[in-house]
Amino acid sequence: KQEVTQIPAALSVPEGENLVLNCSFTDSAIYNLQWFRQDPGKGLTSLLLIQSSQREQTSGRLNASLDKSSGRSTLYIAASQPGDSATYLCAVTVNSWGKLQFGAGTQVVVTP
Amino acid sequence: NAGVTQTPKFQVLKTGQSMTLQCAQDMNHNSMYWYRQDPGMGLRLIYYSASEGTTDKGEVPNGYNVSRLNKREFSLRLESAAPSQTSVYFCASHEAVGRQENSPLHFGNGTRLTVT
């Protein structure tokens, strides 16, 4: 069974520092990997989707890498801002109809 | 764009009561999902519908039923609510089965259910 782990569970950084969030998965047979953001009391918003054939994806200050062979993905957020405070979840798509296996998330606080 | 809309946003039930959570998407997506999110357990799939007219069980289907009413709507029913069903429920959709490589999942804002 695919297991997805995110460490650390919580992270606090001062504004302006770069954020590095880690995601690991046990089975490299994935269709894609997605990073989501969740604000308190809200649903999840997809940030980046990396296809299984890709090594990274970028959107603005966000960059996500994927190393399938080692079962790892990293989300980098450059020059963090207080508005980046949220919980970040990663998920891997494990079959053709789109079943996702989620990590438990990393709660990020960016202090002014 | 409305995206994925869930109703109600909050609900309190007594043990044994029934209710239906509604979900509708306006993105013409084929696949729809119901998840529950609990502290320490993450997101767990309850049921999914790969296309209109089909539904299948996910990881935690016991105590729930679903209906894919049409392409837009996918409802979740609790026939006899139990305290263990206290959770936040999310509906999600994406474009199509078989096109996973370009298909991020879109979520609604959730229904916060408390069963006393």
Side-chain angles (χ1 to χ4, degrees), chain A residues 103-104, chain B residues 37-44:
Chain B
Q37 186 176 36
D38 303 288
M41 302 291 286
L43 277 147
R44 293 180 292 170

Side-chain angles (χ1 to χ4, degrees), chain B residues 45-62:
Chain B
L45 182 65
I46 305 171
Y47 270 93
Y48 69 97
S49 172
S51 62
E52 185 179 356
T54 67
T55 61
D56 284 285
K57 296 178 180 179
E59 301 171 67
V60 289
N62 291 344

Side-chain angles (χ1 to χ4, degrees), chain A residues 1 31-32 34 36 38-46 49-53 89 93 95-104, chain B residues 31 33 35 37 40-43 45 48 50 57 59 90 94 96-110 112:
Chain A
K1 180 190 172 185
Y31 284 74
N32 58 48
Q34 296 180 57
F36 294 89
Q38 185 175 28
D39 294 293
K42 299 291 186 181
L44 283 68
T45 300
S46 181
L49 182 152
I50 311 175
Q51 300 174 17
S52 62
S53 58
L89 296 95
T93 300
N95 61 25
S96 61
W97 57 259
K99 179 183 177 183
L100 271 70
Q101 190 69 39
F102 282 86
Chain B
S31 302
Y33 306 81
Y35 287 89
Q37 186 176 36
M41 302 291 286
L43 277 147
L45 182 65
Y48 69 97
K57 296 178 180 179
E59 301 171 67
F90 289 102
H94 72 74
V97 172
R99 297 179 63 183
Q100 299 311 310
E101 290 202 334
N102 293 296
S103 188
L105 203 60
H106 296 261
F107 280 82
N109 281 333
R112 283 142 189 84

Side-chain angles (χ1 to χ4, degrees), chain A residues 73-86:
Chain A
S73 177
T74 303
L75 177 66
Y76 299 90
I77 303 177
S80 62
Q81 304 167 0
D84 295 327
S85 299

Side-chain angles (χ1 to χ4, degrees), chain A residues 2-4 24-28 30 33 66 68 71-72 92:
Chain A
Q2 178 75 267
E3 293 186 2
V4 180
S24 61
F25 47 96
T26 55
D27 188 343
S28 62
I30 63 172
L33 183 144
L66 174 64
K68 272 183 34 177
R72 295 177 188 273
V92 294

Side-chain angles (χ1 to χ4, degrees), chain B residues 66-86:
Chain B
V66 291
S67 295
R68 183 74 182 267
L69 304 170
N70 47 55
K71 192 170 185 179
R72 290 186 64 248
E73 298 172 288
F74 187 38
S75 63
L76 178 72
R77 183 161 179 83
L78 286 69
E79 292 289 354
S80 179
S84 62
Q85 294 177 305
T86 293

